[in-house]
Amino acid sequence: MKTNGGRRRIRALGGSRLPRLWRRMAQKKYLQSKLTQFLREDKIQLWKPPYTDENKEVGLALKDLAKKYSNKLECCENEVEKIMEEIRCKAIERGTGNEHYKTTGIATIEVFLPARLKKDRKNLLETHLHITGRELRSKIAETFGFQENYIKIVINKKQLQLGETLTEQGVAHNVKAMVLELRQSEEDARRHFQVEEGKQNEARLEERRIQRTRRGLEILAERAEMVVDPEATPYLDIANQTGRSIRIPPSERKALMLAMGYHEKGRAFLKRKEYGIALPCLLDADKYFCECCRELLDTVDNYAVLQLDIVWCYFRLGQLECLDDAEKKLKLAQECFKKCYGENHQRLVHIKGNCGKEKVLFLRLYLLQGIRNYHSGNGEEAYEYLNKACQLFKELYIDPSKVHNLMQLGFSAQEARLGLRACDGNVDHAAVHITNRREELDQIKKEEREKKRRRLENINHLKGMGYSTRAAKQALHQAGGNLEEAQKMWWLNDSAPESNSRQHSPSRENIDQLVYMGFDAVAAKAALRVFRGNVQLAAQTLVHNGGRLPPDLQLSAEDSSSTPSTSPSDSAGTSSASTDEDMETEAVNEILEDIPEHEEDYLDSTLEDEEIIIAEYLSYVENIKAAKKN
């Protein structure tokens, strides 16, 4: 791909460079990884003689080894010796910890603190594994000076569950634990009362926001699973790459809804650079995606994009070392892209007509692969991937004046960027592309509205025949929207009990009759309660729904099992229900605010961060090459 006006170089970074501290840390990490490789290849164990004496002090042989490796790496001997001594001390420390764990059962956990604390070492914490997650969080907060209720702990790419023991959560000796703060600011370092109080209030709000996120997504996913009227109630829908709604098997739908919902929420936090809040959402999304079948994950690019976002989040938190399977996630993303987009993107081009916008994903993939290889001591591989990312950046760079020209025509900045990348930077072609896409989406929306209108008409038609609203919805759902078939489902007409019906207690004989037919006793009892003892209707409903009551009728069973009350407490109950409803509405609205209107929002990026990081890491690799030449 070329942009109008020829190829462009990466712009000068000036004051935007990453701090020099990051440069030193990155270079040191590279040397540590490289030296570890050499030690492994040469089968050298620094914690044993002649590199360590009987008093666990450094042996003279270490200096000779440092000289050998510094010549091999063509870098400063003193620096190599210093890093090798650190590796030796850590190995002894680890060995001592292993012996201590065997004899006492006290495990060692490597605690990685937020990057803002500028801790350039592992922080070790000893603990029994039978304690709960809450006790471990308390111990970490006390040891390292955090507010206990305002940190989250991530171990093995999962949030620490406070109510379960460490053993139950698979936490083992020598595991890595990452500490996330709910809010970071320059005032965190101050200790006077007002600042601490303000920090606690901020963190408390963040914790509530996370809880609302969970509840909002659950509500929207449940609404999508139930048969609802979309015109009246907002819910989540799943669309394909063209923007059309797609049908997902019920067994997969809720998990996929929650996965995509958490992913969108996490991406919203990523855009605001709130990485500590974003990571828990992304990890939750990964958990729910793993509940979907492999075939489904191989047909959508969402899962691949999530893997990139998780690795990117760890990197931006300065905790890439905590993600042991970063290479695996990046490889998984690459394979998933290949399956979704086809070899050389031919499937993507067939569906969308171009692949320019999706190249943004590959730029980030190559960049993260380059960073991972650099931190693993693989300089040549790092340079190869970073160079790929650099070339893609030159292709995808957009002249701001072109974005401005399209905005003058009434398009948004996001539409302009996506359109220009889809059309190789040609402004006229981009304008036509955006206009055509708008018209296509308008047509899809009209078709969707027409489907909803016909469905409401069918519901009203069935209601005119005597069906209750719930029975009409259920009949249409089971008939796949076919009105004629729904009219034949007369047996569902009694599915909604009258609002003033008394509690019906099914007889033991009727329950036994359904159990004899092969149905579960609990489901049989619930179905008989709904149909007020009618064995035939209960059996037909269970047969049509695989031995279970459908969601709508499960609600009916709960309603019919409750006895109407006219006590004075009714008004208090109504007030409480109203409050709960307001809270649910608030939670849902927060989710909807963060779900982008544009279906290709995940492909839109200014690439400003990527530009800086590409240049920074290329300079690291070039410094290594220059040192070798010198």
Side-chain angles (χ1 to χ4, degrees):
M1 179 187 293
K2 294 183 179 179
T3 58
N4 289 355
R7 299 170 66 185
R8 296 185 63 91
R9 295 181 180 273
I10 293 181
R11 298 192 298 275
L13 299 175
S16 301
R17 282 185 178 271
L18 295 175
R20 290 184 178 180
L21 175 64
W22 282 32
R23 173 185 289 271
R24 290 197 300 271
M25 290 175 63
Q27 292 172 337
K28 181 178 179 181
K29 177 64 179 173
Y30 174 82
L31 279 177
Q32 285 175 334
S33 299
K34 204 69 181 175
L35 289 169
T36 301
Q37 280 184 14
F38 292 162
L39 293 169
R40 190 177 296 115
E41 290 168 1
D42 295 341
K43 298 179 180 180
I44 292 175
Q45 299 173 321
L46 293 181
W47 62 93
K48 293 182 177 180
Y51 309 104
T52 299
D53 62 23
E54 63 276 7
N55 298 318
K56 296 184 178 179
E57 297 294 331
V58 61
L60 295 176
L62 186 72
K63 190 171 186 68
D64 295 334
L65 188 62
K67 183 176 182 179
K68 171 186 173 183
Y69 286 160
S70 64
N71 291 334
K72 194 172 182 180
L73 289 168
E74 299 179 354
C75 62
C76 175
E77 181 180 337
N78 289 338
E79 181 72 13
V80 170
E81 185 177 354
K82 182 179 177 182
I83 293 175
M84 287 184 65
E85 172 61 7
E86 288 182 9
I87 294 174
R88 188 189 72 85
C89 290
K90 288 177 182 178
I92 293 173
E93 195 175 55
R94 190 180 185 92
T96 303
N98 291 341
E99 290 298 324
H100 187 57
Y101 176 62
K102 289 177 183 178
T103 56
T104 66
I106 298 177
T108 300
I109 294 179
E110 300 176 24
V111 181
F112 290 77
L113 304 179
R116 71 174 183 82
L117 298 179
K118 300 180 181 179
K119 296 284 185 179
D120 188 22
R121 63 182 180 84
K122 290 186 296 186
N123 300 273
L124 302 182
L125 185 73
E126 292 187 340
T127 180
H128 286 286
L129 297 179
H130 58 70
I131 67 171
T132 64
R134 180 173 284 102
E135 290 172 310
L136 177 62
R137 185 184 67 171
S138 177
K139 182 177 285 192
I140 289 175
E142 181 181 354
T143 304
F144 301 108
F146 294 104
Q147 292 289 332
E148 179 181 346
N149 293 328
Y150 310 127
I151 59 173
K152 287 188 176 292
I153 312 299
V154 175
I155 298 178
N156 296 330
K157 301 177 292 299
K158 296 177 183 177
Q159 288 188 65
L160 187 68
Q161 300 301 308
L162 301 182
E164 299 177 10
T165 67
L166 302 186
T167 303
E168 289 172 340
Q169 299 181 66
V171 177
H173 175 58
N174 283 332
V175 76
K176 296 177 181 178
M178 182 170 67
V179 179
L180 298 177
E181 286 184 290
L182 295 183
R183 175 63 67 182
Q184 298 178 15
S185 70
E186 294 178 359
E187 295 180 335
D188 285 343
R190 303 180 187 177
R191 294 296 176 186
H192 57 79
F193 176 76
Q194 288 183 336
V195 172
E196 284 299 308
E197 186 178 38
K199 188 171 67 173
Q200 290 182 24
N201 288 337
E202 280 187 347
R204 190 178 295 112
L205 289 173
E206 293 297 344
E207 178 62 24
R208 289 176 182 171
R209 180 162 58 158
I210 291 171
Q211 292 174 356
R212 286 198 302 273
T213 294
R214 294 181 186 279
R215 183 59 189 143
L217 285 170
E218 288 170 358
I219 292 169
L220 289 168
E222 287 165 3
R223 286 178 181 174
E225 196 176 43
M226 303 280 284
V227 181
V228 297
D229 291 327
E231 294 289 347
T233 309
Y235 74 109
L236 293 179
D237 195 15
I238 301 175
N240 60 18
Q241 289 175 323
T242 65
R244 297 182 184 276
S245 296
I246 55 177
R247 297 181 68 86
I248 302 292
S251 59
E252 308 279 341
R253 187 175 180 83
K254 185 172 182 179
L256 187 58
M257 283 282 188
L258 288 170
M260 295 174 71
Y262 275 116
H263 190 188
E264 289 296 345
K265 192 68 179 177
R267 288 187 63 253
F269 288 128
L270 282 180
K271 287 180 182 178
R272 298 194 284 268
K273 301 187 185 301
E274 297 181 54
Y275 302 110
I277 306 295
L279 186 58
C281 291
L282 298 176
L283 294 178
D284 281 341
D286 197 37
K287 177 182 71 175
Y288 284 111
F289 266 124
C290 290
E291 293 180 12
C292 301
C293 66
R294 187 74 245 178
E295 291 77 10
L296 181 61
L297 297 183
D298 287 341
T299 57
V300 295
D301 63 1
N302 304 72
Y303 191 52
V305 176
L306 175 63
Q307 304 310 305
L308 291 185
D309 287 340
I310 289 174
V311 179
W312 181 258
C313 199
Y314 271 96
F315 167 66
R316 298 300 280 169
L317 284 167
Q319 303 286 19
L320 201 55
E321 188 177 351
C322 291
L323 189 61
D324 295 329
D325 63 345
E327 181 180 9
K328 179 182 175 182
K329 285 188 174 295
L330 294 175
K331 185 177 180 181
L332 181 63
Q334 191 164 16
E335 290 174 351
C336 189
F337 283 140
K338 185 176 180 180
K339 290 176 182 177
C340 293
Y341 298 158
E343 196 74 41
N344 299 320
H345 315 314
Q346 75 269 21
R347 181 171 177 268
L348 185 64
V349 173
H350 176 73
I351 294 173
K352 302 177 73 173
N354 65 83
C355 62
K357 292 170 284 189
E358 280 72 14
K359 285 189 176 182
V360 167
L361 301 176
F362 287 89
L363 185 152
R364 180 164 286 188
L365 173 65
Y366 296 148
L367 173 56
L368 289 171
Q369 287 174 323
I371 292 170
R372 191 206 66 79
N373 273 285
Y374 178 82
H375 286 294
S376 298
N378 303 321
E380 293 182 4
E381 290 85 349
Y383 179 76
E384 181 182 342
Y385 282 116
L386 291 170
N387 194 46
K388 279 186 177 182
C390 185
Q391 294 304 317
L392 265 183
F393 175 82
K394 292 174 183 177
E395 288 184 24
L396 297 173
Y397 174 79
I398 295 174
D399 188 338
S401 65
K402 294 181 180 181
V403 175
H404 178 73
N405 291 340
L406 287 171
M407 291 178 68
Q408 292 291 97
L409 298 176
F411 303 123
S412 68
Q414 183 179 68
E415 287 178 314
R417 285 190 294 268
L418 292 169
L420 287 167
R421 284 181 180 139
C423 300
D424 295 350
N426 187 298
V427 175
D428 294 333
H429 291 174
V432 174
H433 173 84
I434 299 169
T435 301
N436 291 341
R437 184 57 182 156
R438 280 185 172 184
E439 292 174 353
E440 183 183 350
L441 289 175
D442 286 342
Q443 181 60 33
I444 291 172
K445 288 178 181 177
K446 288 178 182 177
E447 293 174 5
E448 294 293 331
R449 282 197 297 269
E450 179 61 21
K451 286 181 184 178
K452 295 170 186 176
R453 186 190 64 78
R454 285 199 304 268
R455 181 171 177 276
L456 289 174
E457 283 184 353
N458 290 342
I459 289 173
N460 291 330
H461 180 83
L462 291 175
K463 287 171 67 177
M465 296 174 59
Y467 281 68
S468 67
T469 301
R470 181 169 289 153
K473 292 178 181 180
Q474 186 63 28
L476 283 169
H477 179 59
Q478 292 197 16
N482 187 307
L483 181 59
E484 291 184 5
E485 290 296 321
Q487 289 172 346
K488 299 175 184 178
M489 297 182 181
W490 55 268
W491 49 272
L492 279 174
N493 197 26
D494 293 326
S495 65
E498 298 174 6
S499 59
N500 62 349
S501 64
R502 294 182 179 178
Q503 179 177 356
H504 177 85
S505 181
S507 68
R508 184 74 253 175
E509 181 183 355
N510 288 347
I511 295 175
D512 290 341
Q513 190 175 347
L514 288 176
V515 171
Y516 181 76
M517 294 179 188
F519 299 115
D520 177 72
V522 175
K525 186 175 181 180
L528 286 168
R529 182 178 290 121
V530 169
F531 296 110
R532 296 185 288 282
N534 190 315
V535 176
Q536 182 181 3
L537 293 180
Q540 287 176 333
T541 302
L542 293 173
V543 167
H544 277 79
N545 292 277
R548 295 182 300 174
L549 279 178
D552 284 346
L553 300 192
Q554 287 176 15
L555 294 177
S556 297
E558 293 172 4
D559 293 340
S560 66
S561 64
S562 60
T563 304
S565 171
T566 56
S567 66
S569 63
D570 281 351
S571 59
T574 302
S575 175
S576 176
S578 176
T579 303
D580 290 343
E581 186 176 340
D582 290 341
M583 291 176 65
E584 289 190 352
T585 301
E586 181 184 359
V588 167
N589 287 339
E590 281 193 14
I591 298 298
L592 295 176
E593 287 173 3
D594 281 331
I595 294 179
E597 293 184 9
H598 201 292
E599 75 282 359
E600 292 182 327
D601 178 81
Y602 72 105
L603 299 175
D604 177 43
S605 173
T606 62
L607 299 180
E608 292 175 355
D609 289 343
E610 286 84 349
E611 176 187 14
I612 294 171
I613 296 168
I614 288 170
E616 192 71 21
Y617 272 84
L618 275 175
S619 72
Y620 297 165
V621 177
E622 287 164 359
N623 284 343
I624 294 172
K625 290 185 174 182
K628 287 185 176 181
K629 288 180 180 178
N630 294 332

